[in-house]
Amino acid sequence: MRVRFNFGSVTLDAEILATPTARAIMAALPLEGSALTWGEEVYFDIAVKVAREKDARAIVKPGEIAYWPEGHAIAIGFGRTPISKGDETRLASPCNIWAKALGDVKMLARVKAGSKVVVSAVD
């Protein structure tokens, strides 16, 4: 299964992982939000509430799509954030990894805060 993030000028497809978070998000699609940026991260609030999974982590690889339980948001890190050490991609706190990007996440640098984002399932 796949999902598409449409930020208007930028779209990103991702492959869904077999996790409780992925199932909850997929059941709620389509989702809409307003993009926010934090360093080299794009995130947006969603109306899905899921607990932190046991393998949640703050340091992610660019291309891993995360759900931030504390903020009820999807977070896509594609480089350094204000709290990164070295070249790591460090999110604000441990997040559930629920999908993997199929394209180059560096293009998310073009997403501006306030951009509308639509998340939908892809056949």
Side-chain angles (χ1 to χ4, degrees):
M1 291 179 59
R2 293 183 179 183
V3 67
R4 177 166 293 148
F5 299 88
N6 186 336
F7 295 93
S9 62
V10 175
T11 60
L12 179 69
D13 286 359
E15 184 175 350
I16 304 307
L17 304 176
T19 70
T21 299
R23 284 189 290 278
I25 290 171
M26 294 302 286
L29 295 181
L31 294 167
E32 290 188 14
S34 181
L36 298 165
T37 60
W38 189 55
E40 292 180 304
E41 176 188 331
V42 173
Y43 69 101
F44 52 94
D45 297 340
I46 60 171
V48 175
K49 293 180 174 40
V50 180
R52 183 184 295 174
E53 294 177 10
K54 65 179 190 282
D55 59 350
R57 53 194 160 83
I59 298 173
V60 300
K61 295 177 190 149
E64 291 181 319
I65 312 293
Y67 170 81
W68 181 35
E70 285 81 2
H72 310 298
I74 291 174
I76 309 172
F78 56 93
R80 293 178 41 79
T81 67
I83 61 171
S84 291
K85 296 176 179 145
D87 290 332
E88 71 185 10
T89 301
R90 183 182 295 261
L91 306 179
S93 59
C95 293
N96 302 338
I97 307 303
W98 64 277
K100 292 196 186 240
L102 297 171
D104 180 9
V105 291
K106 290 286 187 189
M107 68 182 167
L108 295 176
R110 299 195 317 252
V111 174
K112 304 291 184 220
S115 298
K116 179 181 175 181
V117 57
V118 177
V119 186
S120 56
V122 178
D123 294 332

